[in-house]
Amino acid sequence: MKIVKLTSENYKRLRAVEITPDGNVVTISGRNAQGKSSVLDSIWAALGGKPGNKTTRPVRDGEDSARVVVELDDIRVTREWVAGSKTSTLRVENADGTTAHKSPQQLLDSLVGRLSFDPLEFAHAKEKDQLATLLSVVELPFDPADLDAQRKGEYDERTIVGREVRQLEGQLDGMPTPAKDLPDEEVSASELIARIQAARQEAAKADSVRARVKEYRHLVADLEQRLRDAQVGLREVQKLEAELPDPVDVEPLEDQLATVEETNAAVRAAAERRAVSQRLQDARARYEGHSDNIAAIDRAKEDGLAAAKLPIDGLGFDADGVTYLGVPFKQASAAEQLRVSLAMAMALNPQIRVIRITDGSLLDSDNLQLIEAMAAERDFQVWVERVDESGRVGVVIDDGQVVSA
């Protein structure tokens, strides 16, 4: 529904104003302090109920009462004030004059979204307020606050793990690289000593046997009469000699014993390096896990935004506020900000398709053409207040009355 006729009498600065809009853009112009703002305020006051009736003195000075009639496509809304009273009376009728609803204010509340929404106010609002306004008109398949909290948690955890990764990388870089032939386990010094002692015992035993062989050989040479006994003895000790193991060279073992502490220190360092390397791999894996979770959260937001019906293509948001075409809304061009703000205003008023712009004097000709094009495209009615002294722009208000239309 749009306004087909507005009648305002004695509201704020107005005397008697009757406006029949023509087209999608209604320009209210004139000099300062002549009642331009009162025209737009009277619409909001008539339709908005308590939020639109915060004016402490709605009745023009010197008058007893004020009256505003807003005729829409299907209904006629009449609101009246009495001087000195803090309340107003409301009547909502069908086009044929019959009562439209037993509770007229309840009917208006169901129709009026955010009639006071001014696109320029949205463009100049704080980032958090812009985000709250956007979320109020978009049905998302997720809770942005929960999603942002999850993302922040993952980001914080990833930051902590990232510090651990960098610390472990530095620790690993500072460790010596172990020799390729270094054993994995520490060498037992006591085991080496036992092997050396055993080898020495075997060597001593072998020396004793060899000494006896030599002795018996001398006996054979010197005592031929005892040759038989000596030969028997010789055969016995030769049998023992044949059973001796190969001699063990203890020199390498002694060399190994001399360097056992150095070797074991290197083994421990290598084991610690492997442990740090494993911890680094685990930390990197956790870091990547958090990165994957953040990417999944971002994809969920992107998918949700893709599925959501936003007021205009390219509109989005992040934890800091509203974005347009991937950049913060505040960094968008003036024309882009106006286009987005208009789309937001239209989304906020789906039933009564009326928007007001109170600072129209700030808009250049290109922006005014943009407003007119969007209003026509989306079938909205935009009421624009502009300061103008030529008397040739739109509906001209002077001293609370229409002097030119």
Side-chain angles (χ1 to χ4, degrees):
M1 289 186 288
K2 298 188 291 294
I3 298 174
V4 296
K5 185 176 181 180
L6 169 68
T7 304
S8 299
E9 300 173 357
N10 298 329
Y11 182 77
K12 295 175 72 172
R13 288 184 178 272
L14 299 179
R15 295 180 183 275
V17 170
E18 183 177 297
I19 299 174
T20 302
D22 182 17
N24 294 96
V25 177
V26 183
T27 302
I28 307 299
S29 70
R31 296 174 294 121
N32 285 322
Q34 299 301 305
K36 301 185 304 298
S37 297
S38 297
V39 173
L40 272 65
D41 290 346
S42 69
I43 298 173
W44 173 234
L47 300 178
K50 291 182 179 180
N53 284 282
K54 294 182 178 180
T55 304
T56 56
R57 295 169 59 185
V59 180
R60 180 183 174 90
D61 291 345
E63 302 294 337
D64 296 328
S65 62
R67 177 172 176 268
V68 177
V69 180
V70 179
E71 297 184 35
L72 301 166
D73 295 321
D74 300 324
I75 59 175
R76 180 170 59 247
V77 178
T78 302
R79 193 179 293 272
E80 297 176 310
W81 297 263
V82 175
S85 175
K86 295 183 179 180
T87 60
S88 62
T89 59
L90 172 66
R91 186 170 67 255
V92 179
E93 302 167 305
N94 294 316
D96 59 5
T98 59
T99 300
H101 197 278
K102 62 180 180 180
S103 175
Q105 189 59 61
Q106 184 177 353
L107 174 61
L108 290 182
D109 291 343
S110 68
L111 297 176
V112 176
R114 288 277 299 279
L115 192 66
S116 65
F117 188 94
D118 187 324
L120 299 188
E121 290 180 5
F122 177 81
H124 299 145
K126 295 180 179 179
E127 286 85 347
K128 296 297 183 183
D129 295 335
Q130 290 174 340
L131 177 58
T133 301
L134 172 61
L135 296 180
S136 70
V137 299
V138 177
E139 292 186 6
L140 295 172
F142 57 84
D143 186 336
D146 288 345
L147 212 58
D148 288 340
Q150 292 177 29
R151 191 183 195 282
K152 184 179 184 303
E154 290 290 343
Y155 184 87
D156 291 344
E157 286 295 327
R158 189 182 70 173
T159 300
I160 294 172
V161 175
R163 286 197 290 267
E164 181 183 354
V165 167
R166 291 190 293 274
Q167 186 271 330
L168 290 172
E169 287 175 340
Q171 183 180 351
L172 193 64
D173 290 341
M175 290 181 167
T177 302
K180 293 182 178 180
D181 58 351
L182 186 69
D184 292 336
E185 301 293 336
E186 293 190 26
V187 179
S188 172
S190 61
E191 182 182 343
L192 284 174
I193 292 172
R195 290 173 62 189
I196 291 171
Q197 290 176 343
R200 284 176 175 170
Q201 289 174 357
E202 291 296 328
K205 183 178 178 181
D207 290 342
S208 175
V209 171
R210 291 188 182 96
R212 292 175 64 191
V213 170
K214 184 177 180 180
E215 178 184 353
Y216 279 113
R217 282 177 176 170
H218 282 301
L219 287 174
V220 170
D222 295 339
L223 302 171
E224 292 183 355
Q225 67 276 18
R226 299 174 62 182
L227 179 58
R228 183 177 296 175
D229 293 339
Q231 288 177 338
V232 171
L234 176 62
R235 287 193 295 270
E236 290 178 353
V237 295
Q238 285 177 336
K239 182 179 180 182
L240 292 175
E241 184 183 33
E243 295 175 352
L244 289 175
D246 293 335
V248 177
D249 186 0
V250 299
E251 185 176 350
L253 295 176
E254 290 175 335
D255 292 341
Q256 190 175 2
L257 178 61
T259 60
V260 67
E261 285 303 322
E262 180 181 349
T263 300
N264 289 341
V267 170
R268 289 192 293 272
E272 183 179 1
R273 192 178 192 278
R274 287 195 298 272
V276 172
S277 179
Q278 184 60 50
R279 288 168 55 197
L280 174 59
Q281 291 181 22
D282 294 342
R284 283 172 173 166
R286 296 201 309 274
Y287 185 89
E288 292 301 323
H290 289 302
S291 296
D292 292 342
N293 291 340
I294 290 173
I297 291 172
D298 290 343
R299 284 195 301 272
K301 178 179 285 187
E302 292 173 1
D303 293 343
L305 289 175
K309 186 177 181 181
L310 294 170
I312 189 172
D313 291 340
L315 195 62
F317 63 89
D318 54 27
D320 297 323
V322 176
T323 61
Y324 183 62
L325 299 179
V327 301
F329 179 75
K330 292 291 187 180
Q331 297 179 19
S333 67
E336 290 174 333
Q337 291 187 16
L338 178 60
R339 179 178 288 105
V340 171
S341 299
L342 275 171
M344 288 293 299
M346 292 172 179
L348 289 166
N349 295 277
Q351 299 293 327
I352 297 182
R353 307 171 73 81
V354 177
I355 299 171
R356 69 174 186 174
I357 298 178
T358 57
D359 290 328
S361 299
L362 301 176
L363 303 173
D364 59 21
S365 59
D366 290 339
N367 285 333
L368 290 173
Q369 290 178 4
L370 173 63
I371 291 172
E372 186 171 356
M374 288 188 67
E377 177 187 354
R378 303 195 181 195
D379 193 24
F380 264 79
Q381 189 180 76
V382 182
W383 292 64
V384 183
E385 174 188 348
R386 296 188 64 188
V387 176
D388 179 82
E389 297 184 359
S390 68
R392 296 190 296 271
V393 177
V395 178
V396 181
I397 304 297
D398 188 74
D399 193 23
Q401 299 181 87
V402 176
V403 295
S404 177

